[in-house]
Amino acid sequence: MEHGDKRDAVMQAAMELVGEHGFHGSPMAMIAERAGVAAGTIYRFFDSKDTMIREIYASLEEQILAAVTLDYPTGSPVRERFLHSGRQLVRFFIDSPLQFRFLEQFHNSPYGVASRRDKVFDRKKRNIIGDIFEEARSQRLTKDLPQPILFALTFGPLVDVCRDHILKFITLDDELIERTVEACWDAVRR
């Protein structure tokens, strides 16, 4: 296996095991075994498990940003940009259940709390949804609520329906995705 292939195999194995057993139930030795590499090999790529987890998350964030900005309707009305972002996010999650499970574990852990705090309070990082909400609020298109509440009322339900789709409680097709994302916008619009 090439250097990059081993690193990718380690990241893939970590995502699988974290999705199955959580962070604490996924020791480095188990990750190495699943990846088909020696335990010490992981430390050539990552200096610690924490570093590996954060790098996997950063990689997934880049993938999500790429999905959300694909064919992004720059210059369109705020509502249209929100709907596009919501649709793209849902499609990414339902097409990537392994990544979704890892992200669920991440966001419901101390790693996720720190990451979320950075997103909410550090406006230097690009946050396309935060920018949409700020613009919507300045145009008085949304209810006057703090940004974390706007996120919770819109993207919380989208995450829940993605989980339900992955668990086969519902089947999200294009029409249902569209109606669901519109309902999330309706939850926060004036």
Side-chain angles (χ1 to χ4, degrees), residues 2-146:
E2 295 292 320
H3 181 78
D5 294 338
K6 286 181 182 179
R7 187 177 192 280
D8 291 345
V10 167
M11 290 175 73
Q12 179 75 17
M15 277 194 293
E16 290 171 6
L17 289 168
V18 166
E20 294 167 15
H21 306 288
F23 292 114
H24 295 298
S26 304
M28 293 296 255
M30 188 184 286
I31 293 169
E33 183 179 332
R34 172 82 56 104
V37 300
T41 301
I42 293 177
Y43 293 101
R44 290 175 35 213
F45 308 120
F46 309 102
D47 63 6
S48 69
K49 185 175 177 182
D50 288 343
T51 299
M52 179 184 63
I53 290 166
R54 286 187 188 97
E55 286 191 31
I56 292 170
Y57 179 75
S59 172
L60 292 175
E61 271 198 320
E62 288 175 14
Q63 292 173 43
I64 290 168
L65 182 60
V68 168
T69 57
L70 180 68
D71 299 325
Y72 188 74
T74 304
S76 295
V78 171
R79 179 181 180 275
E80 186 176 329
R81 286 181 278 141
F82 173 86
L83 295 176
H84 172 86
S85 299
R87 285 190 301 265
Q88 293 297 98
L89 185 68
V90 169
R91 287 188 183 110
F92 176 84
F93 284 158
I94 66 176
D95 290 343
S96 311
L98 172 65
Q99 290 83 349
F100 179 81
R101 284 193 313 272
F102 180 90
L103 289 165
E104 287 256 281
Q105 290 287 332
F106 186 91
H107 286 292
N108 291 300
S109 74
Y111 298 110
V113 172
S115 174
R116 188 156 183 244
R117 186 173 289 114
D118 288 347
K119 281 190 180 99
V120 170
F121 298 113
D122 183 3
R123 295 299 296 160
K124 289 176 256 171
K125 293 181 181 177
R126 182 169 185 213
N127 184 333
I128 195 165
I129 305 302
D131 293 345
I132 288 171
F133 283 143
E134 283 304 311
E135 186 177 344
R137 190 175 5 205
S138 73
Q139 294 177 17
R140 300 184 46 80
L141 298 174
T142 57
K143 294 174 173 85
D144 187 24
L145 296 168

